[in-house]
Amino acid sequence: MDCIFCKIVHDEIPSDIVYQDDDFFAFRDINPQAPVHVLIITKKHIPSVNDLADKDSGLMGKMILVAQKIAAKEKVSVSGYRLAINTGPDGTQIVPHIHLHLLGGHRLIDQLG
Ligand code: 5GP
Ligand code: ZN
């Protein structure tokens, strides 16, 4: 499959790995927008939030808990962080493989849109 994030999961493209388990893979963003900028992706190829089904509810719940663990590992739990999933053109989603941005390590701009 011609998906850069699937290639990262299968180690066909190198990445700075932060965490992995049976369902998720997390690595540092190549173009960080904050001192801590980790992308948490599903190992399964799901293009976007629009493609989630009822059976994925547990998976997406676990994704938040993975983010919580990574935040602790990156020492931003107390200082705080932002979790974001961009979706579609207006959501500025560039890579069509679902991913959760974890941003922290400095005060983020107080603007979501
Ligand atoms: P999006 O705009 O789709 O939500 O975010 C995609 C993110 O993936 C961007 O922040 C971009 O910097 C990151 N990215 C794109 N290609 C690569 C890559 O090959 N390696 C890594 N580590 N990050 C990437
Ligand atoms: Zn993919």
Side-chain angles (χ1 to χ4, degrees):
M1 185 178 300
D2 197 25
C3 166
I4 52 171
F5 284 1
C6 282
K7 286 182 178 164
I8 284 175
V9 169
H10 297 119
D11 202 23
E12 290 162 26
I13 294 176
S15 67
D16 186 353
I17 302 170
V18 173
Y19 173 93
Q20 65 170 316
D21 63 23
D22 287 348
D23 296 319
F24 300 100
F25 194 90
F27 53 98
R28 294 189 197 286
D29 197 294
I30 206 167
N31 181 23
Q33 303 300 307
V36 175
H37 189 173
V38 174
L39 299 174
I40 302 155
I41 71 176
T42 54
K43 285 191 168 173
K44 177 169 90 163
H45 181 82
I46 301 171
S48 85
V49 167
N50 289 332
D51 302 289
L52 291 169
D54 285 350
K55 65 176 168 50
D56 298 315
S57 60
L59 184 71
M60 296 309 288
K62 278 191 200 163
M63 198 184 214
I64 302 287
L65 292 172
V66 167
Q68 181 202 61
K69 281 199 193 91
I70 294 171
K73 203 168 152 187
E74 296 290 318
K75 303 192 183 338
V76 296
S77 301
V78 176
S79 52
Y81 52 95
R82 180 174 293 156
L83 300 177
I85 303 179
N86 298 329
T87 304
D90 282 357
T92 70
Q93 182 181 9
I94 306 294
V95 178
H97 178 132
I98 203 164
H99 51 280
L100 181 64
H101 293 259
L102 189 165
L103 296 142
H106 70 189
R107 182 64 63 102
L108 300 165
I109 54 166
D110 183 20
Q111 185 184 332
L112 283 174

